[in-house]
Amino acid sequence: MTEFFKGIPAIKYEGPDSTNEFAFRHYNADELILGKRMEDHLRFAVAYWHSFAWPGGDPFGGQTFERPWFGDSMELARLKADVAFELFDILGQPFYCFHDADVRPEGKTFAESKKNLDAIVDYIAEKQASHKAKLLWGTANMFSHRRWMAGAATNPDPDVYAYAAASVKANMDATLKLGGQNYVLWGGREGYETLLNTDLKAERDHAGRFLQQVVEYKYKIGFKGTILIEPKPQEPSKHQYDYDVATVYGFLKEFGLEKEVKTNIEQGHAILAGHSFEHEIALAAALGIFGSIDMNRNDYQSGWDTDQFPNNHAEKALAFYEILRAGGYTTGGTNFDAKIRRQSLEPADLVLAHVGGMDTCARALKAAAKMLEEGELEAARKARYAGWDTPAAQAMLKGSLEDAAARVSAEGLEPQPKSGRQERLENLVNRYV
Amino acid sequence: MTEFFKGIPAIKYEGPDSTNEFAFRHYNADELILGKRMEDHLRFAVAYWHSFAWPGGDPFGGQTFERPWFGDSMELARLKADVAFELFDILGQPFYCFHDADVRPEGKTFAESKKNLDAIVDYIAEKQASHKAKLLWGTANMFSHRRWMAGAATNPDPDVYAYAAASVKANMDATLKLGGQNYVLWGGREGYETLLNTDLKAERDHAGRFLQQVVEYKYKIGFKGTILIEPKPQEPSKHQYDYDVATVYGFLKEFGLEKEVKTNIEQGHAILAGHSFEHEIALAAALGIFGSIDMNRNDYQSGWDTDQFPNNHAEKALAFYEILRAGGYTTGGTNFDAKIRRQSLEPADLVLAHVGGMDTCARALKAAAKMLEEGELEAARKARYAGWDTPAAQAMLKGSLEDAAARVSAEGLEPQPKSGRQERLENLVNRYV
Amino acid sequence: MTEFFKGIPAIKYEGPDSTNEFAFRHYNADELILGKRMEDHLRFAVAYWHSFAWPGGDPFGGQTFERPWFGDSMELARLKADVAFELFDILGQPFYCFHDADVRPEGKTFAESKKNLDAIVDYIAEKQASHKAKLLWGTANMFSHRRWMAGAATNPDPDVYAYAAASVKANMDATLKLGGQNYVLWGGREGYETLLNTDLKAERDHAGRFLQQVVEYKYKIGFKGTILIEPKPQEPSKHQYDYDVATVYGFLKEFGLEKEVKTNIEQGHAILAGHSFEHEIALAAALGIFGSIDMNRNDYQSGWDTDQFPNNHAEKALAFYEILRAGGYTTGGTNFDAKIRRQSLEPADLVLAHVGGMDTCARALKAAAKMLEEGELEAARKARYAGWDTPAAQAMLKGSLEDAAARVSAEGLEPQPKSGRQERLENLVNRYV
Amino acid sequence: MTEFFKGIPAIKYEGPDSTNEFAFRHYNADELILGKRMEDHLRFAVAYWHSFAWPGGDPFGGQTFERPWFGDSMELARLKADVAFELFDILGQPFYCFHDADVRPEGKTFAESKKNLDAIVDYIAEKQASHKAKLLWGTANMFSHRRWMAGAATNPDPDVYAYAAASVKANMDATLKLGGQNYVLWGGREGYETLLNTDLKAERDHAGRFLQQVVEYKYKIGFKGTILIEPKPQEPSKHQYDYDVATVYGFLKEFGLEKEVKTNIEQGHAILAGHSFEHEIALAAALGIFGSIDMNRNDYQSGWDTDQFPNNHAEKALAFYEILRAGGYTTGGTNFDAKIRRQSLEPADLVLAHVGGMDTCARALKAAAKMLEEGELEAARKARYAGWDTPAAQAMLKGSLEDAAARVSAEGLEPQPKSGRQERLENLVNRYV
């Protein structure tokens, strides 16, 4: 045991009335919700990058955190992993996620970086064997190092494409080795800074082909997990090709990948793209590409990615409602892609931010499940569209524009609007949250 | 002749040094640009709705304009058409666009509305015969009347779908009769106010089937023009299904329409969706769905659709550059979907807003054409991607992820970033604008 | 009794477990919170304009509501008042608010408008006498009619200034007569569309002098209520002079009115200005100009004023916490400047939207009160600033820059940052909401 | 001479037709504009931080620039200064600006940092003696180091306040020594992350007292320059106390400093606060607190501070028009608070970004000056407000609300709106840009 979380107990469920900061008030892993354990519904994961690799910097300030594992040696990387698994244990988290750059020191060459990665993956594999937490997903960091500044698969330099292929291959191999359930691609630099120097079509084509190669490789190595794309509209790029769920869908269709690749949806990214979180989930579900969640919240008054821990259960209930309607996660999960504020210097802050986030999600899940179970909302929705269940309505869809048009004069249609009852439905939701 | 524009002369080109308000300083219809008449490049259109049907209201105030043709009779509708063609003549505009609701009074029944439409279309056809301006595109207003409040093709009530079919049929027929070159669908209510009462999947499916029916009908009646979808992210709906170009592309792919339908891109809608105007054009071109332009500008500090006349030629030059790179318009054009401010009460304001907009576009076109002709920008772009022209790079795209990855160790690749030269390219553009 | 709300019962408190749509689950008027009746804390008001005057239009569509009182006669104005008081009764609302234009038909001349106003005020005074609801505040609509299109007190035409003076005088007189507790000025047109035609300084000066005249008139007529300015950044104007609370404060200071005028803060306006609601309240309290609240919520993905009923109690708890910290309302209250969606056609929608909003606020108030009562949050805040309570720290503020600076070398200061504990405080709040 | 800019010539004016990248096309220092040299109008400054201290990082990536002076020794600091003055010479820039942290390595203690600062200031003073460029303004970086994470003057820890006092004192002394013409305070951390842990009133009070101490110290040391506050709404803080010009004005009034302190207005900050750049300048001028400009541009589609070099002269012409209307700069200037994109790796990029920015400003200034000289815009504005020049209108302002109101019935006023002619004025502006 390291000393980092010294004095901080494993977090237990104590119920809503507990005033113990170091307890769950809502998250009760074994409690059955819709016949499934809460843990199996929520499938929480800790994000290695925010919690262990981020130094607390922002665009106007540098490091605020002072962590004993900060530095570039393999020894420190192992210490970092030790502390990480201690956090997973404290929280009882079933999963975690990482980029290569989070877990191993960057080498001077690709070979050295790869060697570092392999070694730390071995180390983590050992830790997995003796701890509860498993890998939800792995990914390659192809945005931080200066080589990626103009893109990875979309780089004007084909050598960088090759480097990206090598990086993804290494990380898919690592993910397979660790039994990861998904592999994620977030293309923070797969976009552009200015159209003036960009060949948009070529870059999209390269990105599409790259993704096909990734899928082909998945089958080759027998990786059974899901390949996930994480949409984001911009930042760091001015424009990112994977803007939002609808954009990703078109991209997958263009490259014949809509059955192969799903989406990892982040609340903050949804907000930055002008959507509600629940919209993105509902749309992905409707399009058959819902995969997993990066759980956080974006400050509504900030125009950049704030990656804060979620704290409004009423809001998140609408997201979990859409997840439940979509049948819940399969390989996906609820990954806390959330970082404590740079002023939150204490180890306890890191623990308690997760506790708060987990409780927020648990409370949201319970509300969503009850809402679905009692069925009033679904009944209202079904009633609103009931007209479409008639044979005449279905025939109209199969027929021609003229056939449909002909009904207006034949039947003297002058349809009268009906109340959408939005506020009543909002009140209904408020019974549950 | 009506008296409305009394005293306002036909606008002529007088060159950049003219201080005559009632003259073009940049738009010179017959001037050859890249071997084509400026008029044939720009294909300007006046929008009937903003210029003749809008009373000057906003969410906090009512009518400010007092127009002699305001009212609901066929006589006033004819007067409106008379004045409209007078404006087209004054400006020398080759095109105009309309919704049914702009040109005819709403009837008490569909039959009466249709009768009104047919009559005014006959009237307009006569006017076309004796005037220069022709129909760029027609469309159905399926968002203003209360029957559309919950959508047209996406309405929960199938009777409204039928009504929408009848409306589009009537307007496609009218467009065909008037020799319109395109038919546009903008789905301001094809979206939702709240997910709580919305069956997202059903609504998308209905919208997709509706569009297929529209395309089928096009062929049936022998309409040679282009079917265009106009993307907008929201407003009036909280979320609109045709959010932006990328979203429309995915939608078209889903319903097998990507070869049949193109996009009508509006500057203000691009901005509201978080994109630059030139991005949307360039993306549509890359995806093969660029069709036409709704030219205006959105106030950058306003979060709603301001539909102002464009006045920054430097900005618009980037848009026209992408249009020229895409080969220019075929059936499309530059439609001023722009409204004079509600304080701009005078007839001269209406004329001069268009004059300013046309000059802005003409200046932008000339700059864009010269930039393309001299070729420095394209040469720089080509040079940046030159690495991809090698057989090795092309082979890498055809091969597997492992093949690409293998190059890294085989060749000891450690790619070094190269300057993107953004500011130098921006300076280059400034030579032209 | 009119028939409008036929079948809808008076709303009673039934407690959180009630599933009766037509009941309060949280709002219990007589329940004591921090020793004061809930009704006296919340001081709810219905807004006449949204609930009775708005036809359901938006920028892309017209009237959706069909109300028996729509029209321009005095008879319909009385019917509207009858229905309004029926709603107040159903809800048990203690207050309501109105603009002149909401309650009386516009006349052809000022004199006729005034006569209409006086008559309807007499009618409303009678209704007040026999009903519970009283006037929270009155105001003049100086933004809808075309005469105001370029501003009221800030109009380039001094005759409009005079007209504004007459309008405000008439409405202050009416407010006094009805025993209104505040008089509000919202300057939707007190701003500009373009700087190009605007004399910013003159307009500010006129607005400032106008407000002084209003305050002088208040004393002259013996109005004991509070004069309130309602900040909004823009819409309908491109820029409004009363942008936000900080701007209003500077404006009041400039014209010597900071002791005379307070603010009426709206959630949606705060959001549009880039602030959280609680920020605006806290700032107004810190500056001594907190007055009253326009309660609603703005859609976070919409860039215009959506004026929705509030439905997230967790969010509103932070607002009520700041109100309680500021000592609660004096003459102010919680006015629902909120409108049902234009698809919410049924009378029950109007009632239940208010019920939901009232419950949301009641739940928020209870959480806020408990949070304040238990004191953990305040204790944490106090502890964070405890260093400032020392005589040395206070002396430093009184002394010079050099004195303060000298401490650094004298004491060898190298201050170490301390955790801000943001997530822990957010968790703490979540114990209460 | 260092080798850094090897091969790059001093930039000369060659006129608009030049195709030489390394030449000014519009900036001609000695050309007279409104009777004053262009250089004396524009008073350009290079920002040390962006051009010499920034490593090219962003929130998702690290250093991209490889500069020979990066590192923490005094020797490297001198090399940096050498290169900086070479850039000033190449550009012929009359001014530059810096924070302490840009020019000297941070020491282990305040005393060491101070010693470093003093030494480098001596070095820079020598360089000034033999070069053209002088100090436009100095400032203290009180936001990057972790000690400032919770604010400088607004820190909960009074020791940090003392440290801030020592820092500002040191930098004011340095500015005085170098003959700087202004001293700037930008409070990136003078705001809050969450209201939950913030004593808003105490923090504002401390900030106000601190600013008073700064002003007192200015007089004490005989600094003749101007104290400037730089408004910004947020980032890095969630909320910054110096949100915008209007907010700063209220703050200055509160602490009796409105005659002592002016504003340094940045385009990007204006945009982030929801204002146009020209609005902020015009407002500052109207309030008597216009001081200086941080020239850059913010990407209109990005919600964070992008600090790009300006490249749209048509837009900037409106800003310079307001500057000229306000009488131009006194001690202020046009500081390029702009950074080359992180992909712009070459020394030439750094030079040419400034060249483009200077040309953009020069072209804007010339257009603005001509517009002012020819006077049509001012004449139109004056005409619009002419009604206020009458004795009756002036008397109305001096009189009471009732007096003004009485005019309506006495004179039977029913004021008719007049066109605001916005588009015509926009067209007029387009004659000049």
Side-chain angles (χ1 to χ4, degrees), chain C residues 152-422:
Chain C
T154 63
N155 202 288
D157 180 354
D159 286 357
V160 178
Y161 184 103
Y163 214 94
S167 298
V168 170
K169 179 182 179 302
N171 281 280
M172 289 178 75
D173 292 346
T175 300
L176 178 68
K177 184 164 193 179
L178 291 170
Q181 305 205 6
N182 308 270
Y183 185 83
V184 167
L185 295 110
W186 173 63
R189 307 279 177 201
E190 310 294 31
Y192 63 78
E193 288 305 309
T194 175
L195 267 180
L196 296 181
N197 69 10
T198 302
D199 185 336
L200 192 66
K201 182 157 174 34
E203 293 205 358
R204 278 181 64 95
D205 285 348
H206 298 170
R209 179 56 196 141
F210 189 85
L211 191 55
Q212 290 168 337
Q213 291 176 332
V214 166
V215 169
E216 290 157 15
Y217 187 67
K218 164 188 155 164
Y219 286 108
K220 183 162 211 170
I221 62 174
F223 177 61
K224 306 292 184 204
T226 310
I227 305 292
L228 298 170
I229 290 255
E230 180 170 330
K232 189 178 181 187
Q234 58 169 187
E235 198 206 15
S237 301
K238 172 183 167 45
H239 176 86
Q240 188 176 319
Y241 299 130
D242 302 328
Y243 200 82
D244 58 7
V245 166
T247 301
V248 168
Y249 177 73
F251 179 79
L252 295 177
K253 287 286 286 186
E254 185 179 0
F255 295 98
L257 294 167
E258 74 274 16
K259 306 281 187 208
E260 297 291 348
V261 177
K262 299 195 185 303
T263 48
N264 182 41
I265 301 172
E266 176 170 329
Q267 197 269 3
H269 297 181
I271 296 303
L272 292 175
H275 307 298
S276 70
F277 189 26
E278 55 269 25
H279 167 82
E280 287 289 85
I281 298 169
L283 180 60
L287 296 170
I289 57 170
F290 173 68
S292 197
I293 288 297
D294 263 17
M295 173 57 72
N296 57 32
R297 83 172 196 273
N298 215 71
D299 186 295
Y300 284 118
Q301 282 84 50
S302 301
W304 63 93
D305 201 5
T306 65
D307 279 345
Q308 292 172 262
F309 278 86
N311 65 354
N312 190 309
H313 74 280
E315 218 174 68
K316 297 301 178 208
L318 299 177
F320 279 105
Y321 188 74
E322 296 299 334
I323 294 173
L324 291 177
R325 283 183 76 211
Y329 299 124
T330 53
T331 61
T334 306
N335 173 46
F336 285 109
D337 190 358
K339 62 190 183 203
I340 48 175
R341 300 301 85 195
R342 69 193 292 269
Q343 295 190 39
S344 299
L345 303 181
E346 301 169 6
D349 292 321
L350 184 57
V351 172
L352 293 174
H354 283 88
V355 169
M358 291 165 78
D359 264 351
T360 296
C361 291
R363 203 172 164 191
L365 172 74
K366 282 191 272 194
K370 196 160 176 223
M371 198 147 55
L372 197 64
E373 210 162 23
E374 299 196 351
E376 276 197 62
L377 195 57
E378 289 315 295
R381 187 174 353 232
K382 207 172 150 43
R384 191 168 182 239
Y385 291 85
W388 284 100
D389 297 335
T390 63
Q394 290 302 309
M396 187 168 64
L397 288 179
K398 295 204 185 70
S400 70
L401 193 78
E402 312 93 283
D403 293 342
R407 286 190 51 215
V408 174
S409 50
E411 305 176 29
L413 296 182
E414 291 297 332
Q416 292 306 304
K418 295 178 194 73
S419 175
R421 296 191 165 192
Q422 179 165 340

Side-chain angles (χ1 to χ4, degrees), chain D residues 39-194:
Chain D
E39 181 176 295
D40 298 332
H41 270 291
L42 289 166
R43 296 171 57 85
F44 283 129
V46 171
Y48 221 98
W49 50 100
H50 282 321
S51 292
F52 300 105
W54 183 57
D58 68 19
F60 294 84
Q63 178 173 346
T64 57
F65 300 140
E66 296 180 331
R67 305 303 197 206
W69 60 83
F70 280 176
D72 276 330
S73 72
M74 282 301 291
E75 188 183 345
L76 290 169
R78 283 188 296 267
L79 173 59
K80 193 197 296 191
D82 292 344
V83 175
F85 276 83
E86 286 174 14
L87 178 66
F88 309 157
D89 286 348
I90 287 171
L91 298 170
Q93 289 282 64
F95 294 110
Y96 64 97
C97 304
F98 69 77
H99 308 78
D100 48 5
D102 308 324
V103 294
R104 58 95 181 111
E106 180 88 21
K108 285 207 182 59
T109 61
F110 181 83
E112 189 184 331
S113 294
K114 176 72 163 56
K115 195 181 130 207
N116 290 347
L117 179 65
D118 290 344
I120 201 73
V121 163
D122 286 343
Y123 188 75
I124 288 175
E126 284 171 41
K127 298 206 75 84
Q128 276 197 176
S130 58
H131 291 265
K132 173 181 178 180
K134 304 294 176 259
L135 183 63
L136 184 65
W137 47 263
T139 187
N141 178 326
M142 301 197 296
F143 46 89
S144 293
H145 192 279
R146 68 196 288 273
R147 81 172 64 83
W148 311 116
M149 75 177 198
T154 64
N155 203 289
D157 179 355
D159 286 356
V160 178
Y161 184 102
Y163 214 93
S167 298
V168 170
K169 180 183 178 301
N171 281 279
M172 288 178 76
D173 292 345
T175 300
L176 178 69
K177 183 163 194 181
L178 290 171
Q181 306 205 5
N182 307 271
Y183 185 83
V184 168
L185 295 112
W186 172 63
R189 307 278 176 203
E190 309 295 31
Y192 63 78
E193 289 306 308
T194 175

Side-chain angles (χ1 to χ4, degrees), chain D residues 264-281:
Chain D
N264 182 40
I265 300 172
E266 176 171 327
Q267 196 271 1
H269 297 180
I271 295 303
L272 292 174
H275 306 298
S276 70
F277 190 25
E278 55 270 25
H279 167 81
E280 287 289 84
I281 298 169

Side-chain angles (χ1 to χ4, degrees), chain A residues 98-307:
Chain A
F98 69 76
H99 308 77
D100 47 5
D102 307 325
V103 293
R104 56 97 181 108
E106 180 87 22
K108 285 207 181 60
T109 62
F110 181 83
E112 188 183 332
S113 293
K114 175 72 163 57
K115 195 180 131 207
N116 290 347
L117 179 64
D118 291 345
I120 201 71
V121 163
D122 285 343
Y123 188 76
I124 288 175
E126 282 171 42
K127 298 205 76 83
Q128 277 197 175
S130 57
H131 291 264
K132 174 181 179 182
K134 304 293 176 259
L135 183 63
L136 183 66
W137 47 263
T139 188
N141 177 326
M142 303 196 296
F143 46 88
S144 293
H145 192 279
R146 67 196 291 272
R147 81 172 65 83
W148 311 115
M149 75 177 198
T154 63
N155 202 289
D157 179 354
D159 286 357
V160 178
Y161 184 102
Y163 214 93
S167 298
V168 170
K169 180 183 178 301
N171 280 279
M172 288 179 76
D173 292 346
T175 300
L176 177 69
K177 183 163 194 179
L178 290 170
Q181 306 205 7
N182 308 270
Y183 184 82
V184 167
L185 295 112
W186 172 63
R189 306 279 176 202
E190 309 295 31
Y192 63 79
E193 288 306 309
T194 174
L195 268 180
L196 296 180
N197 68 11
T198 301
D199 185 336
L200 191 66
K201 182 158 172 35
E203 294 203 0
R204 276 181 64 94
D205 286 347
H206 298 170
R209 178 58 196 141
F210 190 85
L211 190 56
Q212 290 169 336
Q213 291 175 332
V214 166
V215 171
E216 291 156 13
Y217 188 66
K218 164 188 155 163
Y219 286 108
K220 184 160 209 171
I221 63 174
F223 177 61
K224 305 294 183 204
T226 310
I227 306 292
L228 298 170
I229 291 254
E230 180 171 329
K232 189 178 181 186
Q234 58 170 187
E235 197 203 17
S237 300
K238 171 183 169 44
H239 176 86
Q240 188 177 317
Y241 299 129
D242 302 327
Y243 200 81
D244 57 9
V245 166
T247 302
V248 168
Y249 177 72
F251 179 79
L252 295 177
K253 286 286 287 184
E254 185 179 0
F255 294 98
L257 294 167
E258 74 274 16
K259 308 280 187 207
E260 298 290 350
V261 177
K262 299 193 185 307
T263 48
N264 183 41
I265 300 172
E266 176 170 329
Q267 197 270 1
H269 297 181
I271 296 304
L272 292 174
H275 306 298
S276 71
F277 189 24
E278 55 270 26
H279 167 81
E280 287 290 84
I281 298 169
L283 180 61
L287 296 170
I289 57 171
F290 174 68
S292 198
I293 288 298
D294 264 18
M295 175 56 71
N296 58 32
R297 84 172 196 273
N298 215 71
D299 186 295
Y300 285 118
Q301 282 84 51
S302 301
W304 63 93
D305 202 6
T306 65
D307 280 345

